[in-house]
Amino acid sequence: MAARLDPRALTRELLAYNTINPPGMERACARHIGAILEEAGFGVAYHEFAEARTSLIARIGRGDGRAPICFTGHIDVVPLGGARWTRDAFAGESDGDRLYGRGSTDMKSGIAAFVVAAVELAADLARGPGLVIVVTAGEEIGCEGAKFLADRGLLDRAGAIVVAEPTANYPYVGHKGLAWFEVETTGVTAHGSMPEVGENAIVKMAQVIGDLGHYRFPVESHAVMGKPTLNVGTIHGGLNTNSVPDRATITLDTRTVPGIDHVHLCESLQALLAPRGAHVRRLVDTPALYTVPENEWIQQVFETCAPLLGERPTPKTITFSTDGADLKRGFGGPPAVILGPGEPKLAHQTDEWCSMARIDASVDLFRTLMGRWNAP
Ligand SMILES: [Zn+2]
């Protein structure tokens, strides 16, 4: 058996790679993880959707019979933000139980936890259905790495997926879909003193926004996720006060529930707004992720987490979206759970940190889940 890897130390090693997206530049970080897994007996393949935008797929197991279990995470992180950090964002500083750094919570700690569990169990995994580890680049902007792997058919098979995003070690059965749109109205410009000879794009947009207030989603509610939502996030229009504006745009953030197809959603928004002459364009698209809580493996995950949480988990979904939906599509639709050591409320925050005790607990949870999947 290989010498024990320390999940806290590995988290620090991963934090030291600046993978702020944009531009991402995940190659060196991906290679570091790949080297550890290769040494433990995994077969590792790297896939770049653009120069140095590196995802990796690592496999171990018999490769016949039952499909392997998948653990996944992204190595890109969001920018540091406008506010000053009081800690070094890349040095892995700690204070008590807190390990600070950009990506400590979202989600290099989660990756470190499953890599350590995988290395420790490598011998057992090699004899069983096995494990596939998918580490993605480019998650924070449109799940680019995961979409690339799914679209190119590079994922092969998996019987279940654990997405190690920050959940404070509570298992969530999914999340809403996310679809962003841009809506544009156009008009005819004229001097501001003669509005009657122009066509005002901002006035049309005001009507568009009014219409959106009456929009009804094709699926109005979901048993666990609740209602889909629509928010007008930005508005732009007009160049100067004394002209009739000939162009206005808004962007929409919709959060969808299973059963709402985003192509159809775009078409139905276009149909609603067509009488105003508005044009709708899709910007970002991440499908919803959901597994029915009655699923046998989900119940096994709940059972595994119960002692640590001090209660049996109840079916809940998380507010943010993940790579999970695209990976699930690429793997042919296995059950998926979102479960990781990071603190959900600290994702993307200034002075982001992760509890080191939770990282250790996460290694135990992940080892148990990998072990049960590979039990003889
Ligand atoms: Zn994340």
Side-chain angles (χ1 to χ4, degrees), residues 146-276:
K147 281 189 166 68
F148 181 84
L149 299 177
D151 293 346
R152 299 288 170 105
L154 295 165
L155 291 166
D156 200 12
R157 40 182 215 141
I161 305 174
V162 177
V163 185
E165 290 269 12
T167 70
N169 289 334
Y170 195 100
Y172 289 82
V173 293
H175 56 71
K176 285 182 178 172
L178 173 157
W180 292 355
F181 302 94
E182 183 188 68
V183 183
E184 180 186 30
T185 53
T186 53
V188 177
T189 191
H191 195 280
S193 65
M194 296 178 288
E196 67 280 2
V197 303
E199 208 179 294
N200 192 314
I202 292 180
V203 171
K204 286 188 195 174
M205 188 57 82
Q207 293 162 338
V208 161
I209 293 169
D211 293 343
L212 288 170
H214 305 294
Y215 180 70
R216 290 177 74 110
F217 284 95
V219 178
E220 290 189 22
S221 189
H222 180 270
V224 178
M225 293 187 192
K227 295 177 190 307
T229 59
L230 183 156
N231 180 55
V232 180
T234 67
I235 181 162
H236 295 282
L239 294 172
N240 50 307
T241 307
N242 56 351
S243 292
V244 175
D246 61 357
R247 183 170 185 266
T249 58
I250 57 172
T251 53
L252 306 179
D253 178 354
T254 66
R255 305 296 170 118
T256 62
V257 300
I260 299 178
D261 176 272
H262 291 175
V263 174
H264 292 152
L265 174 59
C266 186
E267 287 166 1
S268 71
L269 287 168
Q270 182 63 69
L272 174 75
L273 304 177
R276 307 294 184 193

Side-chain angles (χ1 to χ4, degrees), residues 74 106-107 139-140 165-166 348:
H74 63 85
D106 185 11
M107 54 170 290
E139 188 269 351
E140 295 287 3
E165 290 269 12
H348 302 194

Side-chain angles (χ1 to χ4, degrees), residues 6 65 93 289 330 346 361:
D6 176 0
E93 286 181 25
L289 177 67
L346 288 168

Side-chain angles (χ1 to χ4, degrees), residues 3-15 36 99 103-104 107-120 341 354-364 366-367:
R4 196 191 154 121
L5 269 171
D6 176 0
R8 303 172 178 202
L10 181 55
T11 304
R12 282 196 180 92
E13 288 169 26
L14 301 182
L15 289 174
I36 293 168
L99 175 56
S104 54
M107 54 170 290
K108 287 173 171 173
S109 58
I111 292 172
F114 66 63
V115 168
V116 169
V119 169
E120 286 180 2
C354 182
S355 154
M356 289 187 278
R358 281 213 216 284
I359 300 176
D360 296 343
S362 181
V363 175
D364 292 340
F366 290 169
R367 204 195 300 103

Side-chain angles (χ1 to χ4, degrees), residues 42 57-72 114 117-118 121 124-125 128-134 155 157-163 297-298 300-301 304 331 334-337 339 365-375:
F42 282 73
I57 302 176
R59 291 190 173 88
I60 195 167
R62 282 197 322 260
D64 56 355
R66 193 180 185 206
I69 188 170
C70 171
F71 277 70
T72 184
F114 66 63
L121 272 188
D124 294 344
L125 299 171
L131 168 67
V132 52
I133 285 180
V134 179
L155 291 166
R157 40 182 215 141
I161 305 174
V162 177
V163 185
W297 178 72
I298 294 285
Q300 197 183 98
V301 175
T304 303
F331 279 127
V337 76
L339 170 67
L365 282 180
F366 290 169
R367 204 195 300 103
T368 303
L369 292 173
M370 290 172 191
R372 288 184 75 164
W373 191 268
N374 283 277

